[in-house]
């Protein structure tokens, strides 16, 4: 059965081909026997490249996610071999892989990271009842509920999608062709209740796997973010993520980025004098938000003296107006 229009029969994968669209829409014949499906995958893996726009998108995304409050921690997770997330997802092929809908590059969904971390907390922290998930006879532990949520809440911590970090040199998509062999296809498909036998014909099944580095990001209260990262790192390094982890797929090494140094506005206020206020005050307000802006404004007024700020020489300066406004004067 043809899976694409006759006008597109001559189309082949090229450098700019969207990997997700090609995998789902590019197969010529769904029912064809033989190596057709493997050739369909192989053609993509050999020629597809990373979209130029993806590098710019990734930089914008990284900058925005690292700025999320109250606390965001990031880590670089590197696949030690190959990884396949979404192998059993619905697909016109027998196998699938999770690819970005817009750019066609592999990524790890945040839901997969959260599920892995939740399972690891229950498994590896079994001596701590507060980390156990709900069971038939057990209530969910308080720590597990706070971090990962339950049926009534989504938890304190957000697990973001882990986007693939583009390679600076290699322009190819980080995809490879793999093959798994089903030795007893009739038995697994429950055809006529046939038992597995030595004379069954093995069936090779081609699938696409991923490699490369991925930016893991977690946002929430600092205490719970640190706990989430610690659990997640141990899980991806020891258990792996995605399908076929028992065969060694999905193992990763993780290097966590240090938190940026907290801006100490109190120290900056102590360094203030009228000769340096023109550049120091705007710098202070650039780094403080919410209630801290009011507190900083009050501290600046106390340090520089209210009368000096309202003097004719200074009261019309922008930084003076900002200080008085933020202090509610």
């Amino acid at each position: 059965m043809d899976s694409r229009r006759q006008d597109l029969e001559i189309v082949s994968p090229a450098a700019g081909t969207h990997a997700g669209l090609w995998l789902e829409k590019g197969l010529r014949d769904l029912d064809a026997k033989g190596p057709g499906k493997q050739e369909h995958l192989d053609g993509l893996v050999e020629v597809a490249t990373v979209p130029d726009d993806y590098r710019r998108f990734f930089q914008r995304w990284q900058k925005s996610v690292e700025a999320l409050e109250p606390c965001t921690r990031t880590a670089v997770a590197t696949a030690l071999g190959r990884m396949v997330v979404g192998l059993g997802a619905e697909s016109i092929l027998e196998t699938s892989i999770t690819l970005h809908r817009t750019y066609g590059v592999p990524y790890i969904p945040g839901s997969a990271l959260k599920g892995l971390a939740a399972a690891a907390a229950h498994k590896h922290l079994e001596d701590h009842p507060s980390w156990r998930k709900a069971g038939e006879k057990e209530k969910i532990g308080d720590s597990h509920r706070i971090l990962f949520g339950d049926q009534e809440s989504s938890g304190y911590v957000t697990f973001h999608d882990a986007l693939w970090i583009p390679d600076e040199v290699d322009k190819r998509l980080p995809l490879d062709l793999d093959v798994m062999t089903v030795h007893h296809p009739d038995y697994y498909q429950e055809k006529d209740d046939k038992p597995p036998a030595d004379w069954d014909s093995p069936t090779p099944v081609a699938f696409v796997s991923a490699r490369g580095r991925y930016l893991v990001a977690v946002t929430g209260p600092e205490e719970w973010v640190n706990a989430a990262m610690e659990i997640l790192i141990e899980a991806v390094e020891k258990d792996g993520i995605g399908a076929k982890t028992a065969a060694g797929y999905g193992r990763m090494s993780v290097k966590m980025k240090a938190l940026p140094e907290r801006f100490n506005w109190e120290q900056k206020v102590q360094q203030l004098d009228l000769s340096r206020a023109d550049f120091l005050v705007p710098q202070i307000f650039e780094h403080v938000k919410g209630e801290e802006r009011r507190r900083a404004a009050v501290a600046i007024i106390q340090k520089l003296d209210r009368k000096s700020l309202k003097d004719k020489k200074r009261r019309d300066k922008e930084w003076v107006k900002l200080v008085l406004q933020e202090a509610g004067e």
Side-chain angles (χ1 to χ4, degrees):
M1 180 179 66
D2 288 341
S3 60
R4 53 176 166 159
R5 296 176 181 177
Q6 292 182 353
D7 294 343
L8 301 178
E9 283 297 314
I10 61 172
V11 176
S12 299
T17 298
H18 188 288
L21 285 176
W22 181 256
L23 291 179
E24 292 299 317
K25 303 296 184 181
L27 187 64
R28 285 189 173 88
D29 194 335
L30 290 175
D31 300 325
K33 304 295 183 181
K37 291 183 180 179
Q38 183 168 337
E39 292 173 357
H40 171 67
L41 301 176
D42 201 18
L44 173 72
V45 169
E46 288 181 355
V47 303
T49 58
V50 181
D52 292 335
D53 288 343
Y54 178 73
R55 300 176 190 278
R56 293 188 289 272
F57 160 75
F58 177 82
Q59 292 173 356
R60 293 195 304 270
W61 174 84
Q62 180 179 5
K63 185 177 180 179
S64 63
V65 79
E66 288 180 344
L68 292 176
E69 296 183 341
C71 174
T72 295
R73 301 215 67 173
T74 58
V76 176
T78 304
L80 297 179
R82 296 182 179 181
M83 173 186 72
V84 53
V85 177
L87 183 66
E90 185 177 350
S91 170
I92 63 168
L93 304 169
E94 294 175 85
T95 59
S96 184
I97 185 172
T98 299
L99 300 176
H100 196 281
R101 290 183 65 87
T102 304
Y103 297 99
V105 301
Y107 75 99
I108 307 173
S111 57
L113 294 170
K114 184 175 183 178
L116 175 65
H122 177 77
K123 175 183 177 182
H124 299 303
L125 299 174
E126 57 185 357
D127 294 336
H128 302 273
S130 65
W131 283 105
R132 292 178 182 171
K133 59 183 179 182
E136 293 183 3
K137 298 182 180 179
E138 292 183 352
K139 292 179 61 178
I140 187 171
D142 289 340
S143 296
H144 198 288
R145 176 180 52 79
I146 292 172
L147 182 53
F148 302 109
D150 54 20
Q151 293 181 343
E152 298 179 357
S153 66
S154 59
Y156 280 23
V157 173
T158 299
F159 290 77
H160 301 277
D161 293 341
L163 299 190
W164 173 68
I165 302 173
D167 193 289
E168 295 298 329
V169 179
D170 193 353
K171 294 185 177 181
R172 295 179 303 162
L173 282 176
L175 301 175
D176 293 299
L177 186 64
D178 273 319
V179 176
M180 55 183 165
T181 303
V182 182
H183 291 275
H184 309 289
D186 290 342
Y187 169 71
Y188 290 118
Q189 294 175 16
E190 299 181 353
K191 289 185 177 180
D192 303 324
D193 294 329
K194 289 185 177 181
D198 292 340
W199 53 84
D200 288 342
S201 296
T203 302
V205 178
F207 67 98
V208 176
S209 60
R211 48 186 160 76
R213 301 183 303 148
Y214 300 81
L215 186 67
V216 177
V218 178
T219 299
E222 185 173 351
E223 177 185 359
W224 293 104
V225 163
N226 291 336
M229 268 297 193
E230 184 177 346
I231 294 169
L232 183 57
I233 289 173
E234 183 174 1
V236 296
E237 290 184 339
K238 291 186 176 180
D239 300 330
I241 191 166
K244 298 177 70 64
T245 53
Y249 285 74
R251 294 292 195 282
M252 310 186 87
S253 65
V254 184
K255 184 176 181 180
M256 187 158 56
K257 292 187 176 183
L259 280 173
E261 186 176 347
R262 180 180 175 273
F263 181 81
N264 190 335
W265 64 263
E266 294 97 335
Q267 185 178 36
K268 293 290 184 181
V269 170
Q270 293 305 313
Q271 298 171 358
L272 264 179
D273 58 48
L274 291 172
S275 65
R276 301 172 31 169
D278 286 351
F279 68 90
L280 271 182
V281 170
Q283 184 184 83
I284 291 171
F285 282 110
E286 184 180 344
H287 289 84
V288 294
K289 297 181 181 180
E291 173 62 19
E292 275 198 318
R293 291 179 72 86
R294 188 195 65 78
R295 290 171 52 205
V298 171
I300 291 171
I301 292 172
Q302 292 174 348
K303 175 67 176 177
L304 299 181
D305 185 62
R306 184 177 282 98
K307 289 184 179 180
S308 297
L309 295 182
K310 293 185 177 182
D311 185 86
K312 289 183 179 181
K313 297 179 181 180
R314 301 184 185 89
R315 64 188 180 190
D316 291 330
K317 290 190 174 185
E318 292 299 322
W319 67 266
V320 174
K321 293 178 181 179
L322 178 60
V323 170
L324 296 175
Q325 177 185 332
E326 294 295 338
E329 297 189 12

